[in-house]
Amino acid sequence: MQYRRSGLSGLKLSALSLGLWHNFGDVDTFVNYQKIIHKAFDLGITHFDLANNYGPPAGSAETNFGRILQTDLKSYRDELIVSTKAGYDMWPGPYGDFGSRKYMLASLDQSLKRMQVDYVDIYYSHRPDPETPLEETMGALDYAVRSGKALYAGISNYPAETASRAADILAKMGTPCLIHQPKYSMFERWTENGLLEVLEEKGMGCIAFSPLAQGMLTNKYLNGIPKDSRAGKVTGALQSEQINAEILQKINALNEIAKERNQSLAQMAIVWLLKDVRITSVLIGASSVEQLVDNVNSLKNMAFEESEIGRIEKILK
């Protein structure tokens, strides 16, 4: 495992972090995700990324992670980076969504109880709130750090201009913004339209989520849409109409380059992000130990020839 410094901070994150967005809720199998968490730590993954609403049901991923942390990993707490977020709908009424001080701090207290910890290492504002002053949301993050309930503050899904303002507000408060978590992959590149430059200028790290574009950048869809895939389910996060002829052509062309590199398409997609030194870590999900190991093995070949980069860009255009 490699460890990369988050921006200009003193904190290093594992180049690959384990995200608990899917596969760690009460609807999933405890023994399975317990094994995944154990294996991740054994492979050198030290950062475990959660949010208040991860599950389903909402909150259950934190509860389940907390149970494993208390029974299996408690003695390793100082070797772990645990992060959580608040910003999306979590409980009924006017105080369980977006970015008010009321919601951000109440949610943090709930997350700490679910995970049975005294503090989290990183606490994020999960998304900007158009109806709450940015100073209020950042003030809540600042208080979370000053109270000792979080060690660092972060933001997620913030556009470049808002991220810049958020960083300035936090800096004036004396709590630097550690990191930004955007959706970023070969198929989702909005971060390249100014955000990465802002993060570099402000000394912030960047951790990319959905690096495999909800599974599109894997071998799963090379021959169409399997019935058991996310795109094959009506309720899935990936809709079948997204897997069109043009996308299938791109996936197969990218897969040919990956094969030449002796990598799977997923492995190439992960290290394609890590080739940029501004990327602190890439968030990977896993539904099995085997999938986790395959993703970590991507780090065995991180170098790209200029010709490979050119061919990839041509395909993605």
Side-chain angles (χ1 to χ4, degrees):
M1 184 55 60
Q2 296 183 10
Y3 299 88
R4 295 184 168 196
R5 193 172 302 281
S6 183
L8 298 179
S9 77
L11 185 69
K12 292 182 178 180
L13 298 182
S14 46
L16 299 180
S17 301
L18 183 63
L20 280 70
W21 183 12
H22 303 290
N23 306 313
F24 295 84
D26 285 349
V27 298
D28 303 296
T29 304
F30 181 86
V31 174
N32 184 55
Y33 55 72
Q34 182 183 40
K35 289 178 180 177
I36 292 171
I37 289 172
H38 287 180
K39 189 64 175 180
F41 187 51
D42 288 344
L43 292 171
I45 291 175
T46 53
H47 179 212
F48 296 86
D49 179 85
L50 298 106
N52 57 357
N53 62 339
Y54 288 176
S60 61
E62 287 184 328
T63 300
N64 294 330
F65 177 76
R67 178 180 167 191
I68 294 168
L69 181 61
Q70 294 304 314
T71 57
D72 306 341
L73 297 174
K74 192 170 186 177
S75 62
Y76 301 104
R77 178 64 184 94
D78 292 338
E79 299 177 48
L80 300 174
I81 302 296
V82 179
S83 64
T84 196
K85 318 175 195 72
Y88 286 92
D89 186 36
M90 185 60 191
W91 64 81
Y95 313 120
D97 200 359
F98 275 114
S100 71
R101 182 181 181 90
K102 169 72 173 176
Y103 171 51
M104 295 295 296
L105 297 179
S107 181
L108 177 56
D109 283 342
Q110 292 177 20
S111 291
L112 296 178
K113 288 177 182 177
R114 281 191 290 267
M115 290 190 283
Q116 304 175 62
V117 294
D118 297 324
Y119 70 94
V120 291
D121 297 275
I122 308 171
Y123 188 47
Y124 288 89
S125 167
H126 208 163
R127 62 171 171 173
D129 181 351
E131 296 183 348
T132 296
L134 193 57
E135 290 79 4
E136 180 176 340
T137 305
M138 295 305 105
L141 292 180
D142 172 69
Y143 177 81
V145 172
R146 292 183 184 278
S147 66
K149 295 178 181 181
L151 301 186
Y152 298 93
I155 55 177
S156 179
N157 297 305
Y158 275 58
E161 189 273 333
T162 314
S164 179
R165 286 178 52 218
D168 289 343
I169 292 167
L170 280 169
K172 288 179 181 178
M173 292 177 174
T175 299
C177 192
L178 173 80
I179 198 164
H180 186 295
Q181 185 176 133
K183 180 185 279 191
Y184 189 17
S185 73
M186 285 179 167
F187 288 165
E188 181 78 61
R189 301 178 66 172
W190 69 273
T191 56
E192 297 170 8
N193 296 325
L195 179 63
L196 288 173
E197 287 74 17
V198 165
L199 302 186
E200 187 173 24
E201 176 192 345
K202 302 298 181 183
M204 296 164 60
C206 181
I207 177 168
F209 76 88
S210 291
L212 305 182
Q214 297 289 337
M216 285 194 288
L217 289 166
T218 69
N219 61 7
K220 187 174 292 184
Y221 299 104
L222 291 174
N223 300 307
I225 304 175
K227 289 182 179 180
D228 63 346
S229 66
R230 286 185 188 176
K233 299 175 183 176
V234 177
T235 58
L238 183 66
Q239 299 303 306
S240 58
E241 56 265 25
Q242 293 176 253
I243 314 294
N244 54 39
E246 181 184 358
I247 288 293
L248 288 172
Q249 186 178 9
K250 288 182 178 183
I251 292 170
N252 279 276
L254 291 168
N255 189 56
E256 289 304 311
I257 299 176
K259 285 196 291 187
E260 293 171 17
R261 291 170 50 82
N262 294 314
Q263 286 182 314
S264 66
L265 175 55
Q267 289 172 335
M268 185 177 77
I270 289 168
V271 293
W272 179 84
L273 288 167
L274 287 169
K275 74 183 187 317
D276 191 328
V277 296
R278 295 172 294 185
I279 303 300
T280 310
S281 185
V282 171
L283 268 174
I284 57 173
S287 58
S288 67
V289 168
E290 293 74 23
Q291 184 184 16
L292 174 74
V293 172
D294 184 69
N295 285 345
V296 173
N297 283 338
S298 64
L299 301 179
K300 292 179 179 179
N301 183 13
M302 298 182 65
F304 283 89
E305 300 288 342
E306 287 295 326
S307 58
E308 290 176 322
I309 297 295
R311 289 168 64 196
I312 289 170
E313 288 300 324
K314 189 175 180 180
I315 292 167
L316 295 176
K317 278 186 178 179

